[in-house]
Amino acid sequence: VSVGSTGQGARASSRAGALAALCVGAWCLAAAAPPVPAALDDAPAPEDREREARADRKRDESIEALKRLLARLEEDAPQKADLYFELAELTWEKSRALYRGEMEALFAAQQAADGGAEPRPDHRPSEVQRAETIRLDELVLRTYPTYGRRDEVLYNLAYNLQEAGRRDQAVARYRELLKVHPTSRFVPDVHVQLGNHEFDVAGSVVRARGHFEQALASGNPRVQSYALYKLAWCDLNQGDLRGALAKLQETVERAERQASERSQVELKAEALNDAVRVYVELQAPEEALAWYHRHASPRRLPALLQAVGEGLQAAGHHPAALRLFRALLEEFAGSDRAPALQRAMVRSAEGQHDRALALEQARVLSRAYLPGSPWWAGQEGHPEVQRAGLAVAEEAVRALANEYHLEAQRTARVETLRLARDASLVYLEAFATLGAPEDVLLQRSAAAEVLAALDDPAAAGALYEIVAASPASTPPGQRLVAGAAHAAVLAWDAAVKKERGQPSGDPARAPRLQRRAAAPPVPLTAAEARLVAACDAYVLRAAGEADAVDVAYRAAVIFQERGQVVEAARRLGQLIVSHPEERRSQDAAELALAALEERQQWQALEQLARQLRANPRLAPPGSEFARRLAGVVERSQYLYLDEVVVKREHDPARALPLLIAHQQEFPRSETADRALVYALGLAVELDQLDTAVTLGKRLLEAYPLSSFDLKVKYQLGHLEARLGDFEGAAAQLEDFVASYLRASGDPAGRGLKATSVELGALPEARRRERLTLLAECTRKGDDWVQNALYDLGVWREGLESWAAARAAWTRYLQRYPEAADAPAVAARQVELVARLGRPAEALEAARAHLVAFARDRRVSELDRLALERRALRLAEQLGSGAEVQVLALQVAARVARLPAVERDTDAARGALAHARFAQLEPAFRAALALRLTRLATFKEDLALKQRRVQELEVASGEVLALGDAEFGLAALSRLGLAYADLAARVAEAPAPLGLDEDQRGLFKSELQTRYVLPLEAKAAEVLEKAVAKAEELRLFGAWLTAAQDQLEVYRPGSFPPGRAVELPVVEPATRAEALRTLGPAGGAR
Amino acid sequence: VRAALAILCGAGVACAPVATSVVPAQAASAPQAAPEAVGVTFERAVAALDQGRLEEAERGFADVLARAPRQVEAQYNLGVVAQRRGQLEQARQAWARARAIVPEHVPSLLALGSALRAAGRAAEAVPLFEAALEADATGGDPEVACAAAQVFRAAGRPVQAEAAAVRALARHPELGCAWLALGRVSLDQGQLGLAGLRLEGARARHVDSAELHTALGVLASRRGDTAAALAALERALSREPDSLPALQGLGVLALGARDFPRASSALSRAAALAPGSAPLQAALGWALDAQKGREAALGVAAGEAFARAVELGSTEEQLVCAAGWAFVVHPAGRERARVWLSRCRALPSLSAPERQRIDARLAVLAASPGAAP
């Protein structure tokens, strides 16, 4: 504070400022700080530096000029004292300038050091100048006792001595001035200086008060204000608080009246500051509020009042502090001070041991200054204020929580535990994401600990889980995290036990694994699920810890207790594999396997068994356990595929490769051939017939004694047929039939008599299965043997393997004479024998069939008619006329017996036409047989032959009338041929005896003209009709050929022989294909 | 792709337009010139092709290729444009370029292979179909295997053909085209019984194509059942009136069965489809010649057919004589009869009696009114 000096010169004024600073600090007895250049905080601007440099140079020039002048003057020159005084002034100014430079250098060095060794100030140059000033002042006093400005010189000298730390000399000079110059204008200032000295240095408030009262009595308003201010301090030191307050208030009022003077403004500020202490001592917050509102500027008002509040708080006057802070919070709720004020509320509430209020205020603090709060919004644009406010709140709530936790730990009382819990929860609710991670971690951990102590294990466990999952960068944090994982296990274990009404205890010790009756799986409770999660987290973190195994077992047991055997087994499996030496491993293994098998959890069982088997310490190779595990793996895998993948999930595409892999992995197992059969079926279902065939063949090759051989052979036969390989298919079915007959021990019969030789080598289960499979082969409704024999017959026929086909049909008829299609099969036999080139035998078979099935309901009359007609053809082929006639009669009779509807069918008409045509054959032959070579009977013979041909014509007309194309054509052709024969025979008729050569020629000519040519014309007419009809109906056959041949005789060139030509093979549609329109590729279609 | 293969499986299998649903996959590898714009151009060109605006389609695909030179679908579609114009060689070239871009592009392989096969170059088509089969390694597209089987068979590779068809059946047992291919392989190899079973297998799977009925006709013919054979071939022609194999088969069978009108009818249609075939012309000549006794004018037609066969390079000397004797039956053919009989007479293999017959006939011709001096 620059109180200022009454000195006229610049020097006196400057020295007074420095002295005042010394005085103000007396209240706390602190030494005055060295004057600091105003510009130190901010480096001088370049233009200021330049100006100062110019001033320095000017000053130095003035000093040098003065020195030169003084050197030239005589010692007794009247103006010399003034010149020395002037020189002293300049030297002092130079000292000040140097001092500023030294401080600038010091700050620059401090900045450059940046945390290194602390630079020390070097004031030697300025002190040299100060010493020169003192020397010059003393020179003037000593040399010029009559100098008119001695009081001023004395004051300056005292000031410089004081500055130089030579206080006693300074005080002496001040007192000399009072004594020698009692009316000097510097006297009030000297009293101030001496008062300060007495107050600050000598410690005599009474003497100080004396000096200040004399100063107050002076007429100088500036000095009076300062003296009044200092007197307030004297009152304060002498315990007169009200007196002190009154003087400070008057000081302020005086200063306000002289507000134009800077020193008064500053003095007011000091008085306002110092009144804080007085109000605190007086415990008068309301007075303070009122007074400061009247006199403090709006800018300073909150700080001053806050200082009062803090003073009250520090002095333990918490109720007063709370009143003041509450009032301030109402007034400055949106200000940057609000967080600190609210923090002060918390502290004062806590200071007066009002925990509820403290917690309540902490809650306010934890909510009011967070992002999103109105306060936060009000500080928009001032992030540093927002951050500071948040930090204040966080620190305060954290501190409160810490304090409560310490107390809770110390006392272990329920109420303090609750306080600690609540405080932590208040903190976590607000600052879980805003506080420093380590602080949050600590609070969570502490809260969890308290919750556990308060018997709220679930809440504790939840918090411990969060802590355990938190990152930590510092060793203490890492220890917290590590500890929390285990603490979470303990907490959730306690929660589970509490839920079950069990006593708490170490989770690693109870309960144990126990074999339990199969029970439906039950979901874990929430607490159990959390316990499992905590266990898992702990095991993951503390894999190497001794209790990790126990904790892992605890989790597995939870699942087992709840009937979730798959998960229990999985966990136990991991434990067993990782800790085979553990005392519980073998038991656990047995237990897990049994539980999974009981529940038919095949996949889990397989996985577990594989895990166990892979561990040689648990299941040494060759051991009984290892063998058993191998069996479990194989069986469970098969059952999984069968029951789950195929039957439950209906996923054949997934099952197929797995079944194949199963067989490949366990080729010697009991399920190997079964898996192949299963895979074969799935491959068929998936339309992967090539795979199915491969699998079937693999089975037959690798497992020749498999019970499934019959099934596979049967399937293979049909699969190969579906792939177009009928030869292979037929061979497979023949193998199937032969195998079946061999296995059943009844090659010819139908009964099932599995040979004891074949079954003897099989285990009982397999034997039963074999018998079942054998029975399946002849199951009613789907008799594989019957199907196979039938298909064999058809395919072998198709392949033109007539003998093999006949064998199949024969066996079919032997085994299945009662089958619905047996008569049809027997009829096919007739055709087969005919195809074998044995028509007589075929005819015999047809006859036998007609007899055997004469009254069989499975055979229709049309079927019988067809067979009789086939027999008729065979008889015709054999040239057996009598047989033909018998059969023709039978056919005609059968047609006649047909119901009208059937009689009107093409088959019936064709059969009847065929029969009638055949019946006319004797008449045709008879007509042909009559030769006209005997002259004696020529006339009669001709008449007879003509009659026979005419009869044939009539009868042929009847055949034609039946409307059957084939035999209509045949009848027409035959009639034409009959006419042709008649013509030919007439033409070769003998000439009457006795005719000469000419007469015979004439006779022949006449014969040709009158008889032969008309007959030939008639023959040609009939034949042409036949040929035309054949061409129209696209009919071919021997009768047509005969007709054409005859016509070619009559009209050479009309029906030349057919010509066999060969044309190069042409691939279908080549050109059409090339010209076919392609569509574009791509596009949005 | 399946549809593409269907059309290309050839030999009467039901076919549909090619239309992959893939928006140009290669566009991604095109230069940075606005891939979306390339896609839009492509789609517009496809639409134009669909609607028969070939010029516009061609410009569009060319534009796509200018900006995305490796856009295989566009290159393929240029082949389709050319094919629709009947420019088969240009089409083949376009597809070959598409294959050069993406060697395993199945539509291009099949189009190119089928084009080669259609040109009678089945052997050259074989590697293309082999590549197509390899590209369709999972057997997912049955028509690929069907088409391949047909080509392999046509190229005289029955084992390969059968394997391809069986491969198709293994995944698609009801695939009629595979049954048909197997049947034809068996037929080629003279396994008539097996062929019958397989062809019936095709018919049972609803194959009703000209190719099937032709094969059934051939089978019946080889079994001596002319009536059944002719009926089957007639059915083939009812399915595809321009089926050359069916027409040939029908003609040959009818000729052997003395159904000369039907033979000449079928063979003349066949000859129109394969105008360069000398054997066909000869067969047609015989069918017509057999009818000249009933209708003299057909003699001239027969003579002309024989003459074309000779002109097309047939070395059968009897055709020269047959032409002469065919022309001679009708006044309109007498001049040509003289020429051809004279050529016949000059044949060194001609017997003496036959030469005498010709001399006599030439004398008659020389004496007949209107004869050349």
Side-chain angles (χ1 to χ4, degrees):
Chain A
V1 174
S2 175
V3 176
S5 162
T6 56
Q8 300 299 309
R11 198 177 86 180
S13 164
S14 301
R15 295 183 213 181
L19 193 61
L22 189 68
C23 299
V24 170
W27 121 260
C28 57
L29 304 177
V36 176
L40 281 184
D41 286 342
D42 299 306
E47 57 272 24
D48 292 340
R49 286 185 185 282
E50 182 59 30
R51 192 165 47 246
E52 277 189 22
R54 279 201 304 273
D56 288 347
R57 284 195 298 274
K58 186 72 179 172
R59 190 189 308 115
D60 287 346
E61 286 169 10
S62 298
I63 289 172
E64 290 306 313
L66 273 175
K67 284 181 177 175
R68 282 195 301 274
L69 182 59
L70 283 167
R72 284 200 300 270
L73 290 174
E74 293 298 326
E75 278 303 312
D76 53 353
Q79 68 271 40
K80 207 164 183 179
D82 259 340
L83 291 175
Y84 275 122
F85 182 76
E86 187 66 20
L87 183 59
E89 282 293 286
L90 289 173
T91 307
W92 186 81
E93 282 176 12
K94 184 169 184 178
S95 166
R96 300 299 300 164
L98 287 170
Y99 185 86
R100 280 195 299 275
E102 289 157 5
M103 292 308 290
E104 281 179 13
L106 173 65
F107 280 97
Q110 283 173 338
Q111 287 178 346
D114 193 24
E118 180 70 20
R120 300 178 66 83
D122 182 4
H123 294 308
R124 282 175 297 183
S126 63
E127 286 302 322
V128 168
Q129 293 303 319
R130 187 194 297 280
E132 176 64 12
T133 305
I134 291 171
R135 187 187 70 78
L136 288 169
D137 283 341
E138 287 177 336
L139 175 69
V140 170
L141 289 175
R142 185 174 61 248
T143 312
Y144 306 100
T146 59
Y147 178 54
R149 295 172 69 180
R150 278 183 65 90
D151 60 339
E152 190 173 352
V153 175
L154 267 174
Y155 185 84
N156 285 349
L157 176 60
Y159 168 80
N160 270 325
L161 288 169
Q162 186 178 333
E163 284 254 294
R166 292 152 65 179
R167 288 196 187 96
D168 292 343
Q169 292 173 339
V171 168
R173 288 296 185 181
Y174 281 133
R175 285 180 179 152
E176 182 184 350
L177 190 152
L178 286 178
K179 185 178 175 183
V180 177
H181 306 284
T183 58
S184 168
R185 59 188 174 93
F186 291 102
V187 166
D189 286 307
V190 170
H191 279 302
V192 167
Q193 297 296 349
L194 285 173
N196 283 338
H197 175 77
E198 293 297 341
F199 191 97
D200 299 334
V201 181
S204 172
V205 178
V206 175
R207 284 200 297 274
R209 178 185 287 277
H211 283 295
F212 290 136
E213 282 175 347
Q214 289 191 61
L216 182 64
S218 74
N220 187 334
R222 178 184 55 78
V223 174
Q224 283 176 325
S225 292
Y226 184 74
L228 190 59
Y229 166 77
K230 296 301 291 188
L231 281 168
W233 274 107
C234 291
D235 287 346
L236 191 61
N237 278 19
Q238 290 177 318
D240 182 4
L241 295 176
R242 282 292 166 189
L245 182 60
K247 288 183 177 64
L248 286 172
Q249 289 173 341
E250 190 183 341
T251 303
V252 168
E253 287 161 9
R254 279 172 180 259
E256 286 171 349
R257 287 196 293 273
Q258 302 171 63
S260 59
E261 287 188 29
R262 187 181 169 208
S263 62
Q264 291 301 309
V265 172
E266 290 170 348
L267 188 62
K268 178 187 172 183
E270 286 304 313
L272 287 171
N273 283 343
D274 296 344
V276 167
R277 175 176 175 178
V278 182
Y279 281 119
V280 169
E281 295 283 323
L282 288 169
Q283 297 183 51
E286 290 80 8
E287 282 183 49
L289 264 172
W291 186 72
Y292 278 120
H293 269 96
R294 282 198 302 277
H295 295 288
S297 67
R299 190 177 61 81
R300 293 204 62 206
L301 179 65
L304 290 165
L305 289 171
Q306 184 179 348
V308 174
E310 288 170 352
L312 288 168
Q313 192 175 62
H317 307 314
H318 295 297
L322 282 169
R323 290 200 307 277
L324 180 60
F325 285 133
R326 194 167 283 122
L328 292 179
L329 273 170
E330 283 179 13
E331 187 173 353
F332 303 111
S335 81
D336 57 350
R337 296 180 180 279
L341 293 170
Q342 184 62 45
R343 175 179 60 188
M345 286 290 289
V346 174
R347 286 178 178 170
S348 279
E350 178 58 23
Q352 66 179 8
H353 301 293
D354 186 345
R355 261 62 196 280
L357 181 63
L359 209 52
E360 181 192 326
Q361 294 304 317
R363 277 200 186 90
V364 173
L365 186 57
S366 72
R367 290 169 187 161
Y369 308 107
L370 266 54
S373 65
W375 179 86
W376 190 275
Q379 296 298 336
E380 184 71 39
H382 303 285
E384 72 290 349
V385 175
Q386 289 172 327
R387 278 196 301 273
L390 182 64
V392 164
E394 191 272 338
E395 184 276 332
V397 179
R398 175 161 47 85
L400 186 71
N402 287 345
E403 191 175 325
Y404 287 178
H405 277 292
L406 286 172
E407 188 175 338
Q409 279 180 346
R410 197 170 59 247
T411 64
R413 290 167 54 202
V414 172
E415 56 268 34
T416 55
L417 288 168
R418 285 182 183 148
L419 266 179
R421 173 196 64 193
D422 294 345
S424 282
L425 293 180
V426 166
Y427 178 85
L428 292 171
E429 188 181 336
F431 303 110
T433 58
L434 297 171
E438 300 281 314
D439 291 335
V440 174
L441 201 63
L442 187 63
Q443 287 302 322
R444 281 204 174 106
S445 186
E449 196 175 325
V450 169
L451 286 165
L454 285 168
D455 196 23
D456 189 354
L463 274 179
Y464 277 130
E465 279 176 359
I466 297 173
V467 174
S470 301
S473 54
T474 62
Q478 288 161 353
R479 279 195 295 277
L480 271 182
V481 168
H486 191 259
V489 174
L490 294 175
W492 283 113
D493 187 69
V496 169
K497 284 172 177 157
K498 189 177 178 185
E499 189 176 72
R500 296 177 180 177
Q502 295 171 343
S504 59
D506 184 350
R509 295 194 176 166
R512 313 296 308 169
L513 281 170
Q514 293 174 2
R515 188 178 287 273
R516 291 165 190 274
V522 175
L524 303 189
T525 66
E528 287 168 341
R530 299 294 285 270
L531 172 56
V532 168
C535 288
D536 290 349
Y538 179 73
V539 170
L540 194 65
R541 185 182 292 276
E545 299 293 329
D547 59 350
V549 176
D550 293 329
V551 172
Y553 266 107
R554 178 68 184 115
V557 170
I558 287 282
F559 284 102
Q560 200 227 6
E561 287 169 344
R562 290 298 179 181
Q564 295 190 25
V565 294
V566 176
E567 182 59 17
R570 186 186 70 77
R571 288 168 176 273
L572 289 172
Q574 288 175 349
L575 275 171
I576 295 161
V577 170
S578 59
H579 299 86
E581 70 289 349
E582 164 67 27
R583 56 193 154 75
R584 287 165 290 192
S585 286
Q586 185 78 33
D587 288 347
E590 298 284 0
L591 197 64
L593 291 171
L596 290 171
E597 185 160 10
E598 194 175 355
R599 290 280 166 75
Q600 302 185 349
Q601 299 289 341
W602 306 124
Q603 190 177 30
L605 180 59
E606 181 205 339
Q607 288 168 354
L608 177 61
R610 280 188 190 279
Q611 268 188 327
L612 301 180
R613 195 174 61 150
N615 193 318
R617 282 189 292 171
L618 188 70
S623 69
E624 172 58 26
F625 191 46
R627 277 196 296 277
R628 203 152 65 76
L629 286 173
V632 171
V633 170
E634 168 211 323
R635 194 171 61 255
S636 56
Q637 187 190 59
Y638 181 82
L639 288 168
Y640 169 67
L641 294 175
D642 176 31
E643 295 183 5
V644 179
V645 181
V646 178
K647 290 176 180 158
R648 194 185 309 159
E649 297 176 357
H650 309 292
D651 191 351
R654 186 171 153 240
L656 176 59
L658 293 175
L659 283 164
I660 294 171
H662 176 84
Q663 184 268 335
Q664 287 170 339
E665 185 180 0
F666 306 107
R668 297 289 113 212
S669 74
E670 281 196 9
T671 51
D673 60 341
R674 202 178 300 270
L676 278 181
V677 173
Y678 216 150
L680 188 158
L682 295 178
V684 173
E685 187 180 335
L686 291 167
D687 277 346
Q688 297 182 16
L689 303 193
D690 48 352
T691 304
V693 168
T694 303
L695 292 172
K697 288 183 175 173
R698 186 189 300 172
L699 182 137
L700 294 178
E701 187 182 336
Y703 307 102
L705 297 178
S706 169
S707 295
F708 301 105
D709 65 332
L710 292 172
K711 180 175 185 175
V712 170
K713 285 172 181 172
Y714 181 71
Q715 282 187 302
L716 270 182
H718 288 96
L719 282 173
E720 292 183 344
R722 291 177 74 184
L723 290 173
D725 182 5
F726 290 96
E727 191 64 57
Q732 283 292 352
L733 288 191
E734 281 160 356
D735 190 11
F736 163 74
V737 171
S739 299
Y740 170 77
L741 295 176
R742 195 166 52 247
S744 67
D746 183 19
R750 301 179 59 198
L752 177 64
K753 288 188 283 185
T755 59
S756 57
V757 174
E758 187 184 2
L759 296 176
L762 297 174
E764 178 56 28
R766 279 268 169 165
R767 188 157 44 233
R768 280 202 304 275
E769 186 176 63
R770 177 70 166 164
L771 287 169
T772 305
L773 289 167
L774 273 171
E776 246 184 31
C777 292
T778 52
R779 196 167 42 198
K780 194 170 182 181
D782 185 21
D783 187 328
W784 292 355
V785 177
Q786 184 179 7
N787 296 343
L789 286 171
Y790 187 92
D791 291 338
L792 258 178
V794 172
W795 295 343
R796 285 300 183 194
E797 269 187 31
L799 292 168
E800 300 177 351
S801 304
W802 311 119
R806 190 181 181 198
W809 291 135
T810 302
R811 183 156 273 158
Y812 185 89
L813 290 172
Q814 283 172 348
R815 288 187 64 86
Y816 305 102
E818 305 302 326
D821 55 3
V825 168
R828 296 182 80 132
Q829 282 276 59
V830 173
E831 200 58 44
L832 267 180
V833 177
R835 295 259 190 178
L836 284 166
R838 300 205 282 268
E841 196 180 328
L843 179 58
E844 190 56 40
R847 276 203 206 94
H849 184 288
L850 288 166
V851 171
F853 299 104
R855 298 185 182 283
D856 198 308
R857 291 185 173 183
R858 295 172 293 178
V859 184
S860 71
E861 282 302 300
L862 283 176
D863 290 338
R864 290 194 183 90
L865 182 62
L867 192 62
E868 275 176 342
R869 194 177 170 192
R870 181 70 180 110
L872 176 58
R873 285 188 192 278
L874 287 167
E876 287 171 336
Q877 185 184 348
L878 288 166
S880 172
E883 190 75 24
V884 166
Q885 291 309 308
V886 170
L887 285 166
L889 271 174
Q890 283 181 5
V891 168
R894 194 174 296 280
V895 171
R897 287 198 302 273
L898 286 175
V901 176
E902 289 184 352
R903 205 162 49 233
D904 197 32
T905 60
D906 287 345
R909 273 196 300 274
L912 187 57
H914 189 179
R916 293 281 184 241
F917 179 82
Q919 285 173 319
L920 290 178
E921 185 66 13
F924 174 65
R925 292 195 181 280
L928 294 189
L930 191 60
R931 309 295 295 261
L932 304 177
T933 51
R934 290 176 58 206
L935 189 60
T937 58
F938 177 79
K939 197 171 180 181
E940 292 77 12
D941 289 345
L942 176 62
L944 180 59
K945 193 171 179 88
Q946 280 178 321
R947 196 165 56 250
R948 284 179 179 171
V949 171
Q950 284 162 358
E951 286 170 358
L952 184 67
E953 184 170 4
V954 172
S956 296
E958 291 172 4
V959 174
L960 279 167
L962 289 172
D964 179 72
E966 180 187 357
F967 286 93
L969 167 67
L972 211 51
S973 298
R974 192 168 60 181
L975 179 63
L977 292 175
Y979 275 112
D981 175 74
L982 179 57
R985 295 296 164 252
V986 170
E988 64 185 22
L993 294 173
L995 297 182
D996 58 19
E997 187 68 21
D998 291 340
Q999 288 171 326
R1000 276 202 302 278
L1002 189 61
F1003 172 77
K1004 284 288 180 186
S1005 172
E1006 191 67 15
L1007 192 65
Q1008 189 75 16
T1009 306
R1010 292 183 61 182
Y1011 294 100
V1012 175
L1013 286 178
L1015 285 171
E1016 283 183 349
K1018 177 69 175 174
E1021 179 193 345
V1022 173
L1023 290 171
E1024 278 174 347
K1025 277 184 186 172
V1027 170
K1029 200 67 183 173
E1031 286 178 353
E1032 177 191 336
L1033 298 176
R1034 311 284 197 198
L1035 293 174
F1036 297 91
W1039 286 112
L1040 175 63
T1041 304
Q1044 289 171 332
D1045 287 345
Q1046 188 59 47
L1047 283 171
E1048 176 69 9
V1049 171
Y1050 291 149
R1051 297 168 194 157
S1054 61
F1055 285 98
R1059 180 176 286 271
V1061 295
E1062 280 192 12
L1063 293 178
V1065 175
V1066 178
E1067 283 307 312
T1070 48
R1071 180 170 168 74
E1073 183 182 316
L1075 295 173
R1076 196 166 302 178
T1077 302
L1078 293 176
R1085 288 177 291 171
Chain B
V1 173
R2 182 174 292 110
L5 299 179
I7 196 167
L8 296 165
C9 67
V13 174
C15 297
V18 175
T20 67
S21 59
V22 184
V23 174
Q26 295 300 313
S29 61
Q32 295 301 313
E36 276 194 13
V38 170
V40 169
T41 307
F42 181 84
E43 292 294 341
R44 198 174 293 122
V46 169
L49 183 51
D50 276 340
Q51 293 160 19
R53 303 195 305 273
L54 300 185
E55 296 293 333
E56 184 184 336
E58 186 178 40
R59 277 198 307 276
F61 293 130
D63 184 17
V64 169
L65 284 171
R67 286 185 282 161
R70 297 191 57 75
Q71 217 291 347
V72 68
E73 308 282 5
Q75 184 59 62
Y76 169 82
N77 284 343
L78 279 179
V80 175
V81 170
Q83 188 243 22
R84 286 201 184 175
R85 287 175 175 151
Q87 299 166 338
L88 302 185
E89 186 51 39
Q90 285 91 326
R92 276 198 291 270
Q93 289 171 6
W95 292 326
R97 284 194 293 274
R99 192 186 168 215
I101 295 170
V102 180
E104 66 276 14
H105 188 242
V106 172
S108 295
L109 286 168
L110 296 182
L112 193 54
S114 295
L116 285 170
R117 183 187 158 205
R121 293 153 64 183
E124 292 173 58
V126 165
L128 298 172
F129 280 94
E130 286 173 338
L133 277 179
E134 197 173 332
D136 183 40
T138 59
D141 203 326
E143 304 293 356
V144 174
C146 267
Q150 297 286 32
V151 167
F152 295 153
R153 195 193 63 75
R157 300 182 177 214
V159 176
Q160 214 173 343
E162 179 142 345
V166 168
R167 168 183 144 137
L169 278 184
R171 291 290 179 278
H172 309 277
E174 298 306 309
L175 190 64
C177 66
W179 282 98
L180 178 57
L182 284 176
R184 296 198 66 204
V185 169
S186 303
L187 199 55
D188 290 346
Q189 296 180 313
Q191 298 169 324
L192 301 188
L194 185 57
L197 286 170
R198 287 172 163 180
L199 293 174
E200 284 304 322
R203 184 146 66 176
R205 284 158 184 86
H206 312 295
V207 177
D208 190 29
S209 62
E211 185 186 5
L212 171 72
H213 292 296
T214 302
L216 286 171
V218 172
L219 177 65
S221 167
R222 292 199 191 167
R223 281 173 163 168
D225 190 345
T226 304
L230 287 170
L233 292 169
E234 290 284 12
R235 276 197 300 278
L237 288 171
S238 73
R239 308 302 189 266
E240 191 177 318
D242 284 341
S243 168
L244 184 57
L247 287 169
Q248 280 200 174
L250 186 64
V252 169
L253 270 180
L255 192 58
R258 299 162 93 174
D259 187 351
F260 303 116
R262 185 147 53 150
S264 59
S265 168
L267 291 171
S268 63
R269 283 162 62 193
L273 292 172
S277 169
L280 251 180
Q281 292 294 341
L284 175 60
W286 293 122
L288 292 166
D289 188 67
Q291 298 172 79
K292 69 178 187 285
R294 283 192 278 177
E295 188 177 345
L298 292 178
V300 177
E304 288 170 345
F306 289 133
R308 270 198 298 278
V310 173
E311 286 163 8
L312 287 169
S314 175
T315 54
E316 284 187 80
E317 291 182 343
Q318 62 172 335
L319 297 181
V320 175
C321 302
W325 291 116
F327 281 126
V328 84
V329 298
H330 194 273
R334 284 181 187 154
E335 183 52 37
R336 282 176 284 177
R338 208 165 52 80
V339 172
W340 284 93
L341 285 174
S342 299
R343 284 180 64 178
C344 175
R345 190 183 180 286
L347 291 172
S349 59
L350 198 68
S351 65
E354 187 63 16
R355 188 167 287 115
Q356 286 173 1
R357 270 187 69 211
I358 290 171
D359 288 340
R361 179 58 65 166
L362 286 172
V364 171
L365 286 172
S368 62

